[in-house]
Each structure stands twice: as C-alpha cells, then as structure tokens.
C-alpha cells in the first residue's frame, strides 16, 4: 500500500475531464500548453459542457476509483492527517510513520501527493470556469449551474490545500507562464477566494440536486461548506447563520448511527460514489484478513464515555496476538459490486457541531438557540446524556471532544481542529515525544521549490 512518489504532473484537457499522465513536467504545466488548447469542443453545447464538469467529480485525484485510500487528495487528507493528529494510523506498516511522529523530512516524497492531487483538481476547475465563461453555445441555465459547481469544487479543493500547507500559490487560471512562477499567497487571501467561490456557488445553484443520490453540489452543499469556512476564519456570526440554513432545511435530518453512512441517508449533504460500487473508506478501513490496516489511536478509544454507542456501532475490535486494535467501522462494506455506501463528504452532524461552536464563541451557551442544544443533538444520537458544560471554556472543550468522537477517520477533521483552535501543542505534545509546534503544517514539497524559485518553505523544515 504505497503512495505514488511522483514529483511532477503533466495535465491535458480532454472532453470529459482533466487526466493525469506520466510524470514529465512541473506540477501545473500542461502538454500542450493550456493557453493553446481550444475549449470549443469541451464547451460547445450543453451536453459537452456537462460532460466536462462531471469530469471534476470523477477526477480520480479527488477520490480514487479503485486502489488504496492514499491515492487521492481526500484519501491522503484522511490518512496522513489522521496519523499527524491522534486519530488513525497504520497498524503494521511503517512507511508513513513520519506523519505519525510528525517528523516529515524534506526528502519525503509523500507530501508531493496531496499537493499534486489538489492542483490537478484546481486546474480542472479553472479550465471549466474559463471554458464556461467564454462559450456562447451553452444555455444560460446550464452555464449558471455548471459555473456554480465548478466554483464550489475549486473552493472545496483549496480548503484542503491551505489546511495542509498554509500559504499556497493561488492558481486561478490555466496560463502556464503565470502559474509556474506564482509565490505562496497568504492563507487569509486563500480563504477570501474560497468564500468568494462559495458565494458564487450559492447564488448559482438551486435547492434541488442536479442528479440523483446527492452526488453533485446543490445550494445546501455550498452553504454547508461556507459554514465550515466561516468557523475556520472565526466569523462566528456568519458560521451560525449558514449552519442554521442547512439545519432548518427539511431535506436533511439526523439518522440513526446504523444509517448515517448509507447512500440513502438523509443526514448526508454530499457524497461521492466510486465506479466500483464500494466506498474507498470502507475498502481501506474494513480488514480483508486478520490484520486491520488503519486503526484508531488508543488514546482516542480510551477517551469515549463507556455508554457511547459509537464505540459499538462505528468501531470494531480485532485481536492480533496480544494486541487488540480498534478500526473504523462507520462504513461496513469492504467489497460490494452493488453496495449501499458511498463516500460521505458532508453530513448534518458536522453542521450541528459547527453551530454549537459558533454559538459558544458568541457566548450563547445554554437555553434555546444555545451551544448546548446543538451539542446535545449529536450526543443524544450516540446514546449519551446532555452536556454538563454551562460556561464558555468547558463548552468549547466539550465541543472539541465531541468532534473527535463524531468525526474520527473522516477527512482530516481532527488534525484541522487541533490546528485551527491552537490546541495542537497542548493535545499532541504530551502524546508524541517528537512533536514540535511547527509540525502543524506539512512541508512544501521540495521538488516544487526546486521548480519554482518564488516558493518558500514552511518554518521548521530546513
């Protein structure tokens, strides 16, 4: 189960998607140069434009259509982010221990992967946005919809880029000569672009999903993501407003623990399927034999309350010799040609936790429209009594703890939470002898700095 160690990506615009080819040039270089590629065929009418934008969703750099968890952006975020925090780790292989110990060397090939995967999707989104804005052959309604989806996908991808690496190049075009020399933009500017993209998506998208099974972005998907961004940027009033919009939408409701991750779940806001019919998370977490692959940190397992039903429903013990591991069991199926589980990317429980945290930060703690009310929705679903926190400090810690228990093994949430709240040193320092404060960011891939002299390295990596 190895990561692809490629340092470079060459990209080409096809009718249906951006394809990743063999390693040959710099990370956002194209062959032929994108400013020489005609988008006439890709966006000549409604059908070809739809095919091109659907390629954004089907891009295997975002979620792999087969193979290992790590071979995609969201897979590496889940795997490497989980290991860097105190969430999940590889039980029997040591080739990614550099993330578990937070001692990533500059020579590491593995940080190239999330960087390259992300910029491949960004490039595809930029190509779609440019093509849609230039075309005269696509109907106004279809153009509006597809532009909304393209802006959403760019925002979604940049969220993970900036949370892994901090300041990153802001690539908003397909002009190679510009992209190859871009310096790192401050994270605050990246977030401004993300918010702008999500507002465009909100305005362009309708309440209805454009396809079945909640597999493409609608207005609620953009709104849920915007609520998350406002939380991360400490705009708590807007985080509360956006989260409330989704929570009050009758299309979504909390499901039982057993049903939360089914592809028919009304808790799901956005999900993606693989062409093979199974969830890549289920395939990666559910063991194929006697040894689990990814397992939960013992400290995480020990932190659950004894009556928390998520311990029995969402994790499984597996004894290997004298050691008992617990592996994620939110997804129940490893292999299924006609399974009932997709890859869940946004779900309602997170929105309750977002609003709870926003309300706590605004010092709305108890009573109607208080943080406790939202936190208890998640706790009660897990079979727990309501929180005992009644003041701001304990409430924020209770929400942090609940996020760890509700969102474990999902898309790097724990890693990002500890960083954005400034709690990484306090939580990870006592657990990891090799922890340093600068480890909150992954290093900028050394190969990219070699190619682009305008890039600088993160602190702590020399």
């Amino acid at each position: 189960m190895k990561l692809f160690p490629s340092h470079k990506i060459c990209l080409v615009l096809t009718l249906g998607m951006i394809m990743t080819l063999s390693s040959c040039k710099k990370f956002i270089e194209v062959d032929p140069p994108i400013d020489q590629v005609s988008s006439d065929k890709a966006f000549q009418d409604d059908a070809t434009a739809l095919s091109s934008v659907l390629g954004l969703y089907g891009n295997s750099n975002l979620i792999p259509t087969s193979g290992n968890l790590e071979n995609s952006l969201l897979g590496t975020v889940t795997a490497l982010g989980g290991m860097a925090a105190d969430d999940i780790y590889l039980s029997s292989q040591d080739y990614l221990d550099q993330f578990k110990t937070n001692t990533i060397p500059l020579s590491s090939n593995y940080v190239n992967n999330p960087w390259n995967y992300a910029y491949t999707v960004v490039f595809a989104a930029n190509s779609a946005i440019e093509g849609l804005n230039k075309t005269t052959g696509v109907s106004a309604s279809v153009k509006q919809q597809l532009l909304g989806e393209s802006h959403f996908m760019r925002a979604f991808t940049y969220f993970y880029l900036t949370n892994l690496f901090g300041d990153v190049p802001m690539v908003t075009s397909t002009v190679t000569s510009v992209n190859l020399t871009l310096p790192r933009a401050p994270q605050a500017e990246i977030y401004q672009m993300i918010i702008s993209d999500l507002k465009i998506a909100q305005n362009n998208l309708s309440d209805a999903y454009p396809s079945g099974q909640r597999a493409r972005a609608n207005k609620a998907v953009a709104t849920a993501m915007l609520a998350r961004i406002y939380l991360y940027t400490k705009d708590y009033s807007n985080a509360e407003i956006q989260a409330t919009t989704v929570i009050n939408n009758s299309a979504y409701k909390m499901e039982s623990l057993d049903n939360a991750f089914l592809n028919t779940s009304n808790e799901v806001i956005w999900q993606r399927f693989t062409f093979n019919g199974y969830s890549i998370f289920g395939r990666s977490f559910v063991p194929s034999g006697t040894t689990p692959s990814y397992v939960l940190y013992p400290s995480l397992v020990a932190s659950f309350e004894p009556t928390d039903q998520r311990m029995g429903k969402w994790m499984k013990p597996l004894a290997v010799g004298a050691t008992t591991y617990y592996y994620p069991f939110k997804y129940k199926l490893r292999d299924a040609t006609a399974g009932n589980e997709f890859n869940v990317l946004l779900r309602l429980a997170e929105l309750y936790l977002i609003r709870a945290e926003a309300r706590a930060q605004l010092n709305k703690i108890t009573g109607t429209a208080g943080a406790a009310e939202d936190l208890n929705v998640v706790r009660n679903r897990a079979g727990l009594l309501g929180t005992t926190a009644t003041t701001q400090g304990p409430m924020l810690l209770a929400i942090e703890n609940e996020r760890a228990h509700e969102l474990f093994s999902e898309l790097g949430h724990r890693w990002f939470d500890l960083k954005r709240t400034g709690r990484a040193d306090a939580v990870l320092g006592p657990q990891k002898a090799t922890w340093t404060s600068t480890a909150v960011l992954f290093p900028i891939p050394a190969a990219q700095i070699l190619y682009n002299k305008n890039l600088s390295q993160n602190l702590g990596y020399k």
Side-chain angles (χ1 to χ4, degrees), residues 114-429:
W115 179 281
N116 286 339
Y117 294 142
Y119 275 112
T120 303
V121 179
V122 166
F123 185 92
N126 289 341
S127 297
I129 291 167
E130 290 179 1
L132 288 164
N133 282 326
K134 290 177 182 177
T135 185
T136 58
V138 178
S139 65
S141 60
V142 171
K143 180 184 290 189
Q144 176 179 320
Q145 169 72 34
L146 298 182
L147 274 171
E149 293 181 81
S150 299
H151 278 280
F152 169 78
M153 290 297 288
R154 185 169 70 182
F156 181 78
T157 305
Y158 259 111
F159 167 80
Y160 290 101
L161 253 177
T162 193
N163 276 284
L164 289 176
F165 297 102
D167 301 345
V168 293
M170 189 185 297
V171 179
T172 58
S173 79
T174 57
V175 180
T176 306
S177 57
V178 173
N179 293 342
L180 290 179
T181 59
L182 287 173
R184 299 169 66 187
Q187 187 177 62
E189 293 181 14
I190 299 295
Y191 271 128
Q192 289 174 6
M193 180 189 69
I194 291 172
I195 290 171
S196 176
D197 274 346
L198 291 174
K199 286 182 175 179
I200 292 172
Q202 263 191 329
N203 290 333
N204 282 25
L205 298 174
S206 65
D207 292 326
Y209 286 92
S211 63
Q213 296 185 297
R214 304 184 178 187
R216 289 168 58 191
N218 69 344
K219 189 183 294 291
V221 171
T223 303
M225 196 66 194
L226 192 54
R228 182 193 292 179
I229 300 304
Y230 281 136
L231 183 73
Y232 274 58
T233 56
K234 305 186 187 306
D235 185 347
Y236 301 119
S237 294
N238 275 318
E240 181 185 21
I241 290 169
Q242 300 298 326
T244 297
T245 299
V246 180
I247 290 169
N248 289 348
N249 189 326
S250 61
Y252 309 103
K253 68 176 184 178
M254 294 289 282
E255 296 274 10
S256 69
L257 294 175
D258 289 324
N259 294 339
F261 290 86
L262 298 182
N263 58 18
T264 55
S265 169
N266 285 317
E267 183 175 339
V268 170
I269 301 169
W270 183 38
Q271 62 188 352
R272 288 300 302 160
F273 55 85
T274 65
F275 297 122
N276 306 67
Y278 55 76
S279 161
I280 194 64
F281 298 116
R283 184 172 180 82
S284 299
F285 294 147
V286 178
S288 60
T290 58
T291 303
S293 178
Y294 281 96
V295 297
L296 303 177
Y297 272 82
S299 59
L300 172 62
V301 176
S303 69
F304 278 79
E305 296 173 52
T307 57
D308 195 325
Q309 294 178 10
R310 288 171 295 201
M311 291 192 69
K313 300 284 188 179
W314 284 2
M315 64 177 72
K316 282 281 188 181
L318 184 61
V320 180
T323 303
T324 297
Y325 295 101
Y326 286 82
Y327 63 86
F329 198 56
K330 292 176 173 179
Y331 299 89
K332 316 301 183 189
L333 302 176
R334 176 176 171 82
D335 295 291
T337 56
N340 60 353
E341 296 173 348
F342 292 166
N343 302 291
V344 176
L345 306 184
L346 288 167
R347 60 188 181 92
L348 189 60
E350 183 193 351
L351 275 296
Y352 276 106
L353 293 171
I354 287 173
R355 193 170 70 174
E357 187 173 340
R359 286 175 167 176
Q361 291 286 2
L362 294 168
N363 216 21
K364 302 175 182 177
I365 308 300
T366 58
T368 304
E373 183 180 52
D374 287 331
L375 181 59
N376 289 339
V377 169
V378 179
R379 288 181 58 82
N380 295 163
R381 195 262 295 270
L384 298 172
L385 298 177
T387 181
T388 58
T390 57
T391 56
Q392 188 181 59
M395 178 60 72
L396 288 171
L397 288 176
I399 293 167
E400 176 188 299
N401 188 60
E402 202 61 37
R403 288 181 65 92
H405 296 160
E406 179 68 22
L407 301 174
F408 70 85
S409 73
E410 292 184 56
L411 302 170
H413 276 292
R414 176 62 170 171
W415 179 229
F416 296 162
D417 284 346
L418 292 175
K419 295 195 299 177
R420 68 179 175 82
T421 59
R423 292 264 299 148
D425 285 347
V427 173
L428 299 180

